[in-house]
Amino acid sequence: MSSRFFHAADSSDESSSSDEEELYSEEEEVEKQDEEPSEEEEGSDEEESDSDAENEGGLNRFLKDQASEASSDDEEKVTVVKSAKDKRLEELEGTVRLIENAEKINDWAVISSEFDKLNRQIIKLMQSGPTPKLYVKAIADLEDFMNETIAKQKVSTKKMNATNARGLNAVKQRIRKNNKDHAKDIEQYRENEEAYMKADIEEEQMPVMKTKRTHTAVATGDDFDDDEGFATVGRGGKTLQYTPESILKHLRSIVESRGKKNTDRLEQIRVMERLLDVATTPYQKIRVMLTLISTRFDLTSGSASSMSQEQWKLAEHEFGSLLQQLETERSIVVVENAEEWEDDEKPPQAAPGEKLRVPGSIVSFIERLDDELTRSLQHIDPHTAEYIERLTDEGALYTNVVRGLLYIEGLKKDSKLDTPQESINRIVMRRLEHIYFKPSQVVTILEENAWKVIPSKLDSSITPRGQVSDIGALVQTLCTYLFQHSEGIIRARAMLCQVYFLALHDQYYRARDMMLMSHLQETISNFDISTQILFNRTLVQVGLCAFRAGLIYEAQNTLQEICGSGRQKELLAQGVMIQRYSQVSPEQERLERQRQLPFHMHINLELLECVYLTCSMLLEIPLLAQTGSSPDIKKRVISKTYRRMLEYHERQIFTGPPENTRDHVMQASKALAAGEWKKSSDFIHLIKIWDLMSEPEKIKGMLAEHIQEEGLRTYLFTYAPYYDTLSVSTLASMFDMSDRKVAAVISKMISHEELAAALDQVNSAIIFRKGVELSRLQSLALTLSDKASSLIESNERTLEQRTQGTANAFERSGAQGGRGGRGGGRGGRGQRSDGRGGQGGRPRGGGQFTGGALGGAVKV
């Protein structure tokens, strides 16, 4: 009996556990399909339970009451099972109830928070079906209550507290925008509230199979992705239908999701590409393209990363299509000051005699495309083929810049549109920045390719098509336009671009005069860093232009500020200088890297250093010879950088053959100082960097002439004290110059009082005046005297700092006598000798240290 009893109990347990498993499985199916269990399934469950009860035997008959109670509990559990949709509806009802309770006590802080919660809950409900009418009723009543509260506040003298006022303002800002999406439902509710809510109850009593039929109807819609019967399914299992009527709604949802977390921008781009395919009217196409281009730019988050080449090309192609559409449809214009169109059901209509305005910015798109291309070139290794391939995209970008300029010019002509002048200035500046650093031949090709793509009916009032051949006139026209219509940074940058272009094309005097007349060197520190970089680049280009023109002094003077600092890379934005003890923060270093110029805009730093050192050599070597023989001349240094390099080179015990540009210049300097001008010229000509200039042979010939002339000057400064007379013909043969040229150089030196001599034109000789120049020994003695004096002064300053200016610092205390110098007696012990060297006593207080025996010798 006991075994039968336990066996029956086990079977009952198994049946109950199986019943529970069935309940759980049914609950999971309910949650997945959002449907309630049908009546037939419940009936079948009851039949199964009855049959199980009939088959039970043994001890179970005595437990009939317990079994009936358990079955009744199971039935109650079945009725409690709810779908996910019902649970969400209950949550929605609870939130609405809280809002209604808060309305009774006028608690707008609670209303604001619960209203936000209500909007979050409705998103999931709307994904699985239509908008619940309970939600429509709640937001309609809340808007009415808000309007009543605002009207009461205007009349009432008692002000609302700060918390309630913030909540009311928050609800006021959100509810009107929110209710626009449900305007039709709210109108139906307000027309007849009872009928509207009654219809909701009737819909709830409809059979569940109706929902299945609706799902199949949606799934079998006509809008498929392809011929195989596949459709695009969105969140919640609903099929996404892209029709011309739904374009504006899709665009609004995409625009509202911009900037939010967990937004799949690539999916949004795919949706907008589909919308662009189904768009029929020009207005729809323009709206979709504006949003699509902006979304592509959103793919790059932060300034550290660059836009991918594929996305950039797609954005550039779509921007060109946008300009083409705008050129075709003159009745639609894209302007920045247009108002947003709120109604997604119908497109806007322009007033008679006016154009339809669409909010957007053509200039911002051009600037963003340009910035993304520059950032991409910064991240690519310039020594690879990828950089050259990426650089070819600049042609398409320049075409769009010119085309965008034509469109903005057309908008400017229409006075009703009120197009700001700044838009044209910005786009003209972008066009100028693409051509100012390029040779004329490259710019000519760029302009011709751009005007080929642009329709022949379009022309520019600023730069007509006829100016394509004359690039100098084109740059002059663009800069003049910016001089007249802009101010501040854009005007300064335009001036610097023109000076750079003139210097690049060997027009030194025009570039120099314009640079000086601009007075930018006085105010450049007040501009932004990018403009300061452009100023440095322009200054360097003017210096190189002066060098190519043979103006050595002007070139060295212009390049001194940049090249003498040792920070050429940093000042020209061509690299980041990583110093050992620099206090640069990571943020500053990141900003510095962002400002770097692309490689094709760089100025060759090796060429720049070679030009600077060569000019310094031609100026410093004669100056060193002059100060060595004439001590009366005040010592001055033209280039500290060059002097430092020269001293380092002279200190070296063994100097091998020159290996780089610096070694060539240093050995040429050594040869020039020794009077070997031919050897110096050969060293300079061996530098291979001259081949990078436009006319290298002309540059080498100009340098040879200057080396001859400076070699002559150095020879005269060095050996003038050893000559009474010197024949001009002898000098001409020594330096391979004509007699006339030698006489001209000597006359110039005499007139500038650099040489104490007279030129005898009858005998063609130089007559030196004696008693003026010092010998080598005398000049060295004077140098020693000067260095000793400076040493004494530094010692006195050091001692005064240590004794803090004590008056009796040099007096000896005690009985020991003072020590005499050379020629003076030594003071005896027990005696006090106040004098030094047998001279008079040293006055107390205020006396100066004379340096002892060394000081006396120097004074003698």
Side-chain angles (χ1 to χ4, degrees):
M1 290 295 289
S2 63
S3 62
R4 289 175 60 192
F5 174 78
F6 287 114
H7 177 72
D10 292 339
S11 64
S12 65
D13 290 340
E14 289 174 1
S15 63
S16 63
S17 64
S18 64
D19 291 337
E20 289 178 358
E21 288 176 1
E22 290 177 0
L23 286 175
Y24 289 145
S25 64
E26 288 174 5
E27 185 176 353
E28 291 175 359
E29 291 177 359
V30 164
E31 289 179 354
K32 289 181 181 178
Q33 299 177 1
D34 293 339
E35 297 177 356
E36 297 180 357
S38 63
E39 295 177 359
E40 296 176 358
E41 292 173 353
E42 292 176 358
S44 63
D45 292 340
E46 290 174 359
E47 291 174 3
E48 289 176 1
S49 63
D50 292 339
S51 63
D52 291 339
E54 289 175 1
N55 293 331
E56 286 177 353
L59 204 60
N60 262 346
R61 286 178 293 176
F62 298 99
L63 301 174
K64 187 175 182 180
D65 294 336
Q66 284 84 351
S68 62
E69 288 176 3
S71 63
S72 64
D73 292 340
D74 292 342
E75 289 176 358
E76 289 178 1
K77 288 181 181 178
V78 171
T79 55
V80 170
V81 172
K82 296 177 182 177
S83 66
K85 181 178 179 181
D86 291 338
K87 291 178 182 177
R88 291 181 184 131
L89 282 172
E90 282 188 2
E91 292 177 358
L92 190 72
E93 290 175 0
T95 307
V96 172
R97 200 176 302 114
L98 289 173
I99 292 176
E100 290 174 351
N101 293 337
E103 288 177 357
K104 293 177 183 178
I105 60 174
N106 204 24
D107 190 352
W108 283 98
V110 175
I111 293 173
S112 176
S113 61
E114 294 299 324
F115 180 65
D116 293 340
K117 183 179 177 183
L118 188 71
N119 289 329
R120 289 194 298 270
Q121 292 170 348
I122 199 63
I123 293 174
K124 296 180 179 178
L125 283 167
M126 290 178 67
Q127 289 173 358
S128 58
T131 307
K133 296 187 177 181
L134 177 65
Y135 174 75
V136 176
K137 175 181 180 298
I139 60 175
D141 293 344
L142 181 59
E143 187 176 12
D144 295 338
F145 180 69
M146 181 195 70
N147 293 331
E148 292 176 6
T149 306
I150 293 173
K152 288 179 183 178
Q153 285 296 317
K154 290 181 180 179
V155 179
S156 176
T157 56
K158 187 177 179 181
K159 291 186 178 180
M160 189 181 291
N161 61 37
T163 307
N164 273 352
R166 283 196 297 269
L168 178 60
N169 289 332
V171 174
K172 181 180 175 182
Q173 291 173 0
R174 289 192 287 266
I175 195 168
R176 290 178 179 171
K177 183 179 179 182
N178 180 70
N179 286 8
K180 284 181 183 179
D181 299 334
H182 309 281
K184 288 186 177 180
D185 296 333
I186 293 174
E187 287 178 5
Q188 292 178 6
Y189 168 74
R190 286 176 175 165
E191 286 176 0
N192 194 344
E193 298 181 6
E194 294 181 0
Y196 183 81
M197 299 305 294
K198 189 175 181 182
D200 189 17
I201 297 171
E202 290 176 357
E203 286 180 5
E204 289 178 359
Q205 293 175 355
M206 293 293 286
V208 181
M209 291 300 293
K210 185 177 180 182
T211 58
K212 292 184 179 179
R213 285 197 296 272
T214 56
H215 279 295
T216 56
V218 172
T220 57
D222 296 333
D223 193 13
F224 291 108
D225 282 354
D226 49 28
D227 297 335
E228 296 180 0
F230 292 100
T232 305
V233 179
R235 296 179 63 182
K238 296 181 67 177
T239 305
L240 298 177
Q241 297 181 354
Y242 302 113
T243 60
E245 293 77 15
S246 65
I247 286 178
L248 298 180
K249 286 185 178 180
H250 286 295
L251 288 179
R252 179 171 293 279
S253 64
I254 290 172
V255 170
E256 288 177 352
S257 64
R258 285 184 68 184
K260 294 183 179 179
K261 292 183 178 180
N262 302 324
T263 302
D264 191 355
R265 296 188 179 93
L266 290 175
E267 180 63 29
Q268 290 181 346
I269 289 173
R270 285 192 287 268
V271 170
M272 282 187 284
E273 288 174 348
R274 289 289 308 277
L275 293 176
L276 187 59
D277 293 336
V278 301
T280 55
T281 63
Y283 174 76
Q284 291 176 346
K285 292 180 180 178
I286 290 171
R287 282 288 304 272
V288 173
M289 282 190 283
L290 286 172
T291 312
L292 180 56
I293 296 170
S294 300
T295 309
R296 289 196 192 278
F297 288 143
D298 289 342
L299 289 174
T300 54
S301 58
S303 56
S305 59
S306 59
M307 194 173 180
S308 65
Q309 186 174 359
E310 179 186 0
Q311 292 294 334
W312 188 91
K313 287 188 175 181
L314 289 172
E316 184 270 330
H317 176 71
E318 287 155 3
F319 180 70
S321 303
L322 174 64
L323 290 177
Q324 188 176 0
Q325 188 73 38
L326 292 172
E327 290 165 0
T328 306
E329 286 293 330
R330 293 292 183 178
S331 59
I332 303 175
V333 294
V334 175
V335 290
E336 297 180 13
N337 53 8
E339 295 182 0
E340 188 74 30
W341 182 254
E342 300 292 342
D343 192 357
D344 296 336
E345 300 296 331
K346 57 181 180 178
Q349 300 294 330
E354 293 188 1
K355 297 180 179 180
L356 181 59
R357 303 185 183 189
V358 179
S361 177
I362 299 296
V363 181
S364 297
F365 283 160
I366 292 174
E367 290 179 338
R368 186 64 188 272
L369 283 171
D370 192 9
D371 293 340
E372 290 295 341
L373 179 62
T374 302
R375 195 176 293 125
S376 175
L377 291 171
Q378 287 175 347
H379 288 81
I380 299 175
D381 185 3
H383 305 292
T384 59
E386 183 185 359
Y387 188 90
I388 305 298
E389 181 184 356
R390 192 74 178 96
L391 195 57
T392 56
D393 294 333
E394 189 181 12
L397 175 62
Y398 185 77
T399 303
N400 284 330
V401 170
V402 178
R403 203 165 184 174
L405 176 59
L406 300 183
Y407 179 73
I408 300 296
E409 283 184 36
L411 296 182
K412 184 66 177 175
K413 293 176 183 177
D414 191 348
S415 58
K416 296 180 181 179
L417 297 177
D418 193 20
T419 305
Q421 179 64 42
E422 184 187 1
S423 299
I424 299 184
N425 294 343
R426 284 160 59 191
I427 199 168
V428 169
M429 192 67 230
R430 288 284 175 170
R431 183 180 179 184
L432 184 61
E433 286 178 347
H434 273 277
I435 62 176
Y436 81 94
F437 64 93
K438 294 184 174 72
S440 298
Q441 299 85 350
V442 179
V443 181
T444 303
I445 297 172
L446 205 61
E447 283 283 322
E448 289 176 352
N449 294 337
W451 286 105
K452 284 179 185 177
V453 179
I454 299 173
S456 58
K457 62 181 180 180
L458 297 177
D459 201 358
S460 173
S461 58
I462 301 175
T463 56
R465 287 177 181 263
Q467 284 190 355
V468 175
S469 58
D470 191 356
I471 303 303
L474 172 65
V475 174
Q476 177 71 32
T477 303
L478 293 173
C479 294
T480 304
Y481 182 85
L482 291 176
F483 295 158
Q484 295 173 353
H485 297 89
S486 66
E487 56 185 14
I489 291 180
I490 292 183
R491 188 173 185 179
R493 290 183 69 87
M495 199 169 297
L496 290 172
C497 287
Q498 186 174 5
V499 173
Y500 191 104
F501 184 82
L502 293 173
L504 185 65
H505 292 83
D506 295 330
Q507 300 183 39
Y508 169 73
Y509 291 103
R510 284 187 63 190
R512 182 201 63 181
D513 295 344
M514 191 172 180
M515 189 76 170
L516 294 176
M517 286 189 297
S518 67
H519 296 285
L520 283 173
Q521 59 272 17
E522 302 169 4
T523 59
I524 192 62
S525 58
N526 300 327
F527 288 92
D528 61 327
I529 296 180
S530 61
T531 307
Q532 294 181 24
I533 291 170
L534 179 59
F535 177 82
N536 294 338
R537 285 167 52 80
T538 305
L539 200 64
V540 167
Q541 198 60 246
V542 171
L544 293 175
C545 180
F547 177 77
R548 290 192 297 270
L551 304 171
I552 301 299
Y553 177 78
E554 288 81 357
Q556 200 278 339
N557 195 20
T558 307
L559 298 176
Q560 173 66 36
E561 188 175 358
I562 303 296
C563 299
S565 63
R567 298 165 55 226
Q568 296 95 315
K569 279 187 179 180
E570 186 179 352
L571 294 175
L572 298 176
Q574 295 182 189
V576 181
M577 300 288 291
I578 305 297
Q579 297 179 359
R580 183 177 298 178
Y581 303 107
S582 63
Q583 301 294 328
V584 179
S585 64
E587 180 68 19
Q588 291 175 337
E589 185 177 348
R590 184 180 62 82
L591 293 174
E592 191 72 25
R593 292 189 184 279
Q594 289 177 13
R595 287 192 287 262
Q596 299 303 302
L597 295 173
F599 184 75
H600 67 282
M601 297 178 66
H602 284 192
I603 297 172
N604 193 313
L605 294 179
E606 188 178 356
L607 175 63
L608 181 62
E609 183 186 27
C610 181
V611 169
Y612 174 70
L613 292 179
T614 304
C615 294
S616 300
M617 176 193 75
L618 294 175
L619 296 177
E620 283 281 5
I621 296 300
L623 182 63
L624 287 171
Q626 183 182 10
T627 53
S629 61
S630 302
D632 296 337
I633 298 176
K634 184 180 179 182
K635 291 186 177 180
R636 60 189 181 95
V637 178
I638 295 177
S639 173
K640 290 183 179 180
T641 306
Y642 173 80
R643 286 278 184 101
R644 198 179 304 117
M645 291 181 185
L646 190 62
E647 290 174 1
Y648 176 76
H649 187 267
E650 288 178 350
R651 284 200 303 268
Q652 289 183 344
I653 300 173
F654 173 75
T655 55
E659 297 178 357
N660 52 26
T661 303
R662 189 176 298 178
D663 291 344
H664 279 87
V665 176
M666 290 300 109
Q667 296 209 10
S669 303
K670 197 173 181 181
L672 184 62
E676 301 176 355
W677 69 270
K678 287 185 178 180
K679 188 176 180 181
S680 175
S681 179
D682 291 340
F683 277 126
I684 295 296
H685 288 176
L686 286 174
I687 301 175
K688 296 180 180 179
I689 201 72
W690 304 124
D691 296 334
L692 296 179
M693 288 191 165
S694 56
E695 297 177 351
E697 296 302 324
K698 182 180 177 182
I699 297 295
K700 291 178 181 178
M702 178 269 294
L703 287 174
E705 292 179 3
H706 278 282
I707 289 172
Q708 286 176 340
E709 183 177 338
E710 299 303 327
L712 173 61
R713 285 164 48 82
T714 305
Y715 183 82
L716 290 175
F717 283 136
T718 306
Y719 298 105
Y722 304 100
Y723 286 102
D724 290 332
T725 59
L726 186 60
S727 173
V728 172
S729 58
T730 305
L731 291 174
S733 61
M734 286 176 61
F735 293 96
D736 197 13
M737 298 170 66
S738 63
D739 293 353
R740 186 175 180 181
K741 180 69 175 176
V742 172
V745 171
I746 294 171
S747 299
K748 187 177 179 181
M749 293 175 66
I750 293 173
S751 65
H752 290 171
E753 296 183 355
E754 295 175 345
L755 188 66
L759 184 61
D760 186 358
Q761 295 182 353
V762 177
N763 298 320
S764 184
I766 309 169
I767 302 173
F768 294 95
R769 294 201 298 269
K770 289 296 180 181
V772 179
E773 292 85 359
L774 298 177
S775 65
R776 183 67 175 169
L777 179 61
Q778 291 172 331
S779 62
L780 288 175
L782 286 172
T783 304
L784 176 63
S785 174
D786 292 339
K787 289 186 176 181
S789 299
S790 62
L791 178 62
I792 291 169
E793 291 175 2
S794 64
N795 284 341
E796 287 181 353
R797 283 195 299 268
T798 305
L799 190 58
E800 187 175 359
Q801 289 174 0
R802 292 190 177 184
T803 57
Q804 298 180 357
T806 306
N808 301 324
F810 303 108
E811 291 187 0
R812 297 174 184 262
S813 60
Q816 186 170 352
R819 182 172 181 177
R822 230 175 247 184
R826 182 189 297 265
R829 295 189 180 272
Q831 265 184 332
R832 175 157 185 162
S833 174
D834 291 327
R836 288 187 180 269
Q839 296 177 4
R842 184 178 182 278
R844 291 178 177 268
Q848 300 230 349
F849 181 52
T850 59
L854 183 60
V858 170
K859 286 186 178 181
V860 172

